Amino acid sequence: MKKRWSFARLGIVGALVAGSLVVVAAPPAQSNEASLSAVNSSSWQTNASVQGIAVAAGKAYAGGRFTSVRPPGAAAGTGEVAQAYLAAFDASTGALVSSFNPVLNGQVYAVAATADGSRIFIGGDFTTVNGQTRNRIAAFDTATGALVANWKPSVSYRVKTIAVSGTTVYFGGSFGLVNNIERLRLAAVTTDAGTLLPWAPAVNGDVYAVDVADNASKVYAGGQFSTVNGTNQNTVTSLDPASGGVLPFPGSSAVPPPNGSCTTRVKSIDASGDTVYFGNGGDGGGCFDGTWAVDIATNTLKWKNQCLGATEAVRVVNGWLYKGSHAHDCANQGAGGFPQGFDYRFLLSEKITDGTLGPWYPNTDADPNSVTNVGPLAFATGGNDLWVGGDFLHVNGAAQQGLTHFTNATPGAAPAKPAKLLPYSVQPGVVQIHFPTVLDNDDSTLTYRLLKGFSNTTIATWTAKSVPWDKPWLHFTDSTAVPGEVTNYRVEVTDGSTTVRGNYSDPITVATTPSTAYDQLINSDGPQAYWRLGEAVGTTTSVDASGQSNNGTFTGVTLGGAGAISGNTSMTTSSTSGRMVGEKAYSFPQQFTVEAWVKQSGVNRGGRIIGFGNSKTGNSGGGGDRMLYMRTNGSIVFGVNDGTQRTLTSATGKNDGLWHHVVGTYDGSLMKLYVDGALAGSGSAGAASIYYGWWRVGFDNTSTWPGGGATQTGMGIDEAAVYPYALSPVQVQGHYAAR
């Protein structure tokens, strides 16, 4: 047997034993690689936002804007139980604890508990609880559910955040007085009787978040402020837990200062072990919305992740940092994730060591009719789980409003079902197989096995990493097939607990003589998209012949011209912007091949042949990249943008009215340009530019590229293909020779 696998950057490895069973040469996949399952557990719902949660004494206490709760699966307005602003749910089953039914006259923003779980504290806009005066802060006994009678500090305005450390309750918000004594937006009282403590930092703006180091050495606060105790403090501060004095905080430089178009604010804080974690939300395009971590002992910065999309909640659970946000660009400034345009991800995990994204991909949405419209707003944990509250309406695509719960129960999410394989045999005794990896929402590393025949004999094994925005392909050449043999193949994938098998391929007859059919040779090499461009005149859709369902739309082209390949017609750009754009979008391909046949003639004629761009309908910014284009002198250029426009250029004169086979390959570090089967240039390039885009055949604006901007009209293009890996010289030469 021979093998070919690629995408080492994503941790793909494999092993073979010729003619026998396959062994795995890398650690196998593990169920729940994340510390939590991505499958949400059953829990009751709320009819409006949950803004604060705490877990104590076997119950999850949720506070917010809601006025009623309902069972899981119940549609809004059905099965509703009146329970306004504060409710309790069984921490194991998610069921409503109906015996806890306090009556409040205003919404709750914050819920916190003592370390022993005997008491919870709530803060918000309310002024009465169970008919008794409780000005914006109150305490409950978790054993009885009773309002604590002798605990009644009086706060002049909203309490937004609460943290409990030992015998002290720290809280922040929008207030100016506690017990009619000046306390400018931060204050502290005792846990037993609510006695006001002398701790009194003076903050000049609202406080959104407060937390205390586990060793009680520091208090951290964040919000909409610029000074504390008269000292400049940009949205975040570190304070002495006894005196309230401002402590040196070099790590706070992670937060950029406000400017005329952007202000970012700390919205969530979680101190865990020797590190404190922060979540920011900004207003204005490109404002810092990410997370950052600080060493508590030194207050120095450990790391910073600059995902865009305001972070509303952070919480450490079992060695991972979980974040609630409406992240929409996690490729921003090296954040290491998905690009703008891919999706909104409302729930993510990050490594506590460096902030890079982890293997946990459940999702919610955000209620567009809510006051906040951001998705998750509050997190809490009982140690091995995560309660999520917010303004969402759905979780993992199913209706679930306001509240959800994730545990570490196995087996967790299952891998997606692998695609039905499309094997090809174009050489005697050889079958080629190419297929995309699949996603598992709580395991990024999965084990794949290629099975042959109805006996399901394992002939190849890979361990490969995939994420929602980047699912690499695997490739295998079975050279032990018998000429004339009729067989089939399928793939199974496992996360260590759950194994999922794809459907059997259609039966394939192993070749006895070499195939000369051009389309068969192309498909045998596993294109991600293959547009033959031979549609009839008047057709608006180009069919993807690769079997990957990436059909495209024609604009400004003439069909039916003589093609480069006998028996097939071609596309001709009949306008200066004639093109065909595939309907599927991709995230910054880092290994690829672009291929086409091109014919152009006339002085100063050239144009873009095939490439990648960030616009599906208009012109791509910067003209896109990962492309082949023709200069006015007839030279072919292959261009990749790695921060610099890297180009390879062929000899001139290819605008001679003849068909030319052009190929550009990039394997993650090396570019190669081939013209008519021969290598025309090679050179190194770094990681290709990071954006979400579409493969396009024909026009895109190349005027900013070296020698670009040639008139596109009249360019013939045929047999365009894109591959998710770099073709070898032998493959390129084989395609050219098959004409």
Side-chain angles (χ1 to χ4, degrees):
M1 298 182 190
K2 292 187 295 185
K3 64 181 186 295
R4 181 176 73 245
W5 30 66
S6 58
F7 296 90
R9 69 187 178 89
L10 286 181
I12 298 173
V13 296
L16 297 172
V17 177
S20 183
L21 189 65
V22 177
V23 297
V24 179
Q30 297 181 11
S31 183
N32 289 11
E33 181 184 353
S35 64
L36 296 174
S37 168
V39 179
N40 54 306
S41 301
S42 176
S43 67
W44 275 51
Q45 311 172 71
T46 59
N47 72 339
S49 300
V50 169
Q51 301 173 144
I53 317 174
V55 179
K59 295 178 280 292
Y61 294 87
R65 298 176 181 269
F66 57 87
T67 56
S68 67
V69 297
R70 64 183 185 274
T78 63
E80 301 280 357
V81 176
Q83 186 57 56
Y85 310 126
L86 182 65
F89 306 90
D90 186 283
S92 297
T93 67
L96 177 69
V97 179
S98 57
S99 59
F100 182 74
N101 51 7
V103 178
L104 290 81
N105 69 340
Q107 62 181 298
V108 171
Y109 277 90
V111 186
T114 56
D116 64 4
S118 63
R119 187 170 288 191
I120 65 162
F121 304 91
I122 64 170
D125 289 343
F126 54 86
T127 56
T128 65
V129 179
N130 295 343
Q132 300 183 42
T133 298
R134 288 293 187 276
N135 285 316
R136 303 171 185 90
I137 197 165
F140 290 88
D141 184 294
T142 58
T144 65
L147 181 69
V148 179
N150 67 339
W151 202 92
K152 45 187 176 181
S154 180
V155 185
S156 62
Y157 204 66
R158 177 177 297 163
V159 172
K160 184 77 163 57
T161 177
I162 300 173
V164 183
S165 177
T167 60
T168 303
V169 179
Y170 297 91
F171 57 95
S174 310
F175 53 85
L177 300 171
V178 178
N179 296 346
N180 288 319
I181 298 172
E182 184 177 82
R183 289 292 187 272
L184 298 179
R185 304 175 184 86
L186 277 173
V189 297
T190 61
T191 56
D192 55 358
T195 303
L196 183 64
L197 297 172
W199 193 78
V203 185
N204 75 335
D206 289 357
V207 173
Y208 297 159
V210 65
D211 204 7
V212 187
D214 289 353
N215 64 3
S217 63
K218 295 179 176 75
V219 177
Y220 296 91
Q224 190 176 359
F225 56 80
S226 59
T227 68
V228 178
N229 298 340
T231 301
N232 290 335
Q233 302 282 287
N234 176 30
T235 192
V236 66
T237 189
S238 176
L239 302 167
D240 186 284
S243 70
V246 174
L247 300 175
F249 195 3
S252 65
S253 62
V255 182
N259 57 45
S261 62
C262 172
T263 301
T264 180
R265 305 174 183 91
V266 169
K267 308 190 84 172
S268 182
I269 305 173
D270 185 33
S272 177
D274 62 3
T275 306
V276 57
Y277 304 88
F278 300 87
N280 272 64
D283 49 21
C287 252
F288 177 51
D289 284 332
T291 52
W292 48 292
V294 165
D295 177 74
I296 290 173
T298 62
N299 266 352
T300 55
L301 184 67
K302 285 188 167 183
W303 54 258
K304 178 179 178 179
N305 182 300
Q306 302 203 63
C307 280
L308 292 177
T311 302
E312 304 287 340
V314 293
R315 185 57 57 97
V316 174
V317 182
N318 287 342
W320 289 92
L321 179 68
Y322 291 85
K323 66 175 264 180
S325 67
H326 56 279
H328 55 85
D329 182 355
C330 280
N332 179 58
Q333 299 190 50
F338 51 89
Q340 177 73 29
F342 166 73
D343 196 4
Y344 278 86
R345 306 299 303 190
F346 293 88
L347 293 170
L348 290 168
S349 66
E350 295 176 352
K351 292 181 181 179
I352 61 174
T353 53
D354 60 12
T356 55
L357 294 187
W360 191 68
Y361 304 107
N363 213 2
T364 73
D365 56 5
D367 181 357
N369 298 314
S370 68
V371 174
T372 45
N373 186 25
V374 294
L377 292 166
F379 283 173
T381 181
N384 294 308
D385 62 350
L386 183 70
W387 286 86
V388 178
D391 62 22
F392 48 84
L393 299 174
H394 298 84
V395 179
N396 290 334
Q400 177 71 26
Q401 186 176 2
L403 184 68
T404 192
H405 182 212
F406 297 92
T407 73
N408 64 351
T410 57
K417 185 177 180 178
K420 180 181 177 180
L421 296 177
L422 300 170
Y424 281 85
S425 181
V426 296
Q427 295 295 328
V430 176
V431 178
Q432 290 179 269
I433 299 160
H434 311 264
F435 61 94
T437 55
V438 299
L439 182 66
D440 182 312
N441 279 327
D442 47 35
D443 298 283
S444 61
T445 302
L446 302 173
T447 297
Y448 298 81
R449 300 183 185 93
L450 179 61
L451 311 177
K452 182 177 181 179
F454 289 117
S455 63
N456 292 315
T457 301
T458 300
I459 62 170
T461 298
W462 299 264
T463 298
K465 179 180 178 182
S466 57
V467 291
W469 59 94
D470 194 355
K471 291 174 277 191
W473 285 47
L474 301 174
H475 315 274
F476 183 74
T477 299
D478 181 2
S479 58
T480 63
V482 178
E485 173 189 9
V486 178
T487 188
N488 55 32
Y489 299 85
R490 72 195 300 194
V491 171
E492 70 175 20
V493 58
T494 182
D495 62 8
S497 290
T498 303
T499 298
V500 179
R501 283 183 171 179
N503 292 338
Y504 287 105
S505 70
D506 291 338
I508 180 172
T509 300
V510 181
T512 57
T513 59
S515 173
T516 58
Y518 184 86
D519 62 323
Q520 293 291 303
L521 292 174
I522 298 301
N523 275 319
S524 71
D525 283 331
Q528 193 173 46
Y530 175 28
W531 300 288
R532 302 207 67 193
L533 307 176
E535 284 77 15
V537 174
T539 304
T540 59
T541 299
S542 179
V543 175
D544 177 11
S546 73
Q548 301 304 316
S549 303
N550 189 10
N551 294 342
T553 301
F554 291 114
T555 303
V557 304
T558 299
L559 298 173
I565 305 301
S566 176
N568 189 44
T569 58
S570 65
M571 157 186 135
T572 303
T573 57
S574 55
S575 70
T576 56
S577 59
R579 61 186 180 270
M580 188 286 301
V581 183
E583 64 185 23
K584 286 187 177 181
Y586 301 88
S587 297
F588 52 90
Q590 293 299 317
Q591 299 191 35
F592 63 89
T593 297
V594 284
E595 175 184 39
W597 289 82
V598 62
K599 181 175 70 172
Q600 181 63 292
S601 60
V603 178
N604 295 326
R605 290 292 179 91
R608 196 175 196 257
I609 304 164
I610 184 172
F612 196 62
N614 63 7
S615 176
K616 188 176 183 181
T617 56
N619 294 344
S620 300
D625 79 325
R626 302 161 169 87
M627 63 180 167
L628 294 164
Y629 63 96
M630 182 184 289
R631 301 177 65 162
T632 56
N633 63 6
S635 62
I636 304 298
V637 181
F638 177 40
V640 173
N641 190 340
D642 65 359
T644 299
Q645 292 178 342
R646 310 289 182 184
T647 56
L648 304 174
T649 305
S650 78
T652 62
K654 305 306 178 186
N655 52 355
D656 55 5
L658 302 176
W659 284 107
H660 295 281
H661 183 241
V662 293
V663 177
T665 71
Y666 174 69
D667 66 4
S669 61
L670 184 64
M671 301 167 57
K672 291 184 179 181
L673 170 64
Y674 300 86
V675 178
D676 294 334
L679 182 66
S682 64
S684 61
S689 53
I690 295 175
Y691 61 92
Y692 190 64
W694 293 262
W695 291 109
R696 301 164 55 116
V697 177
F699 177 78
D700 209 342
N701 182 12
T702 60
S703 60
T704 62
W705 282 77
T711 300
Q712 185 91 32
T713 307
M715 175 179 279
I717 306 175
D718 201 9
E719 305 288 348
V722 177
Y723 304 79
Y725 67 102
L727 291 179
S728 70
V730 171
Q731 290 172 301
V732 173
Q733 291 158 8
H735 294 186
Y736 173 66
R739 181 185 180 187

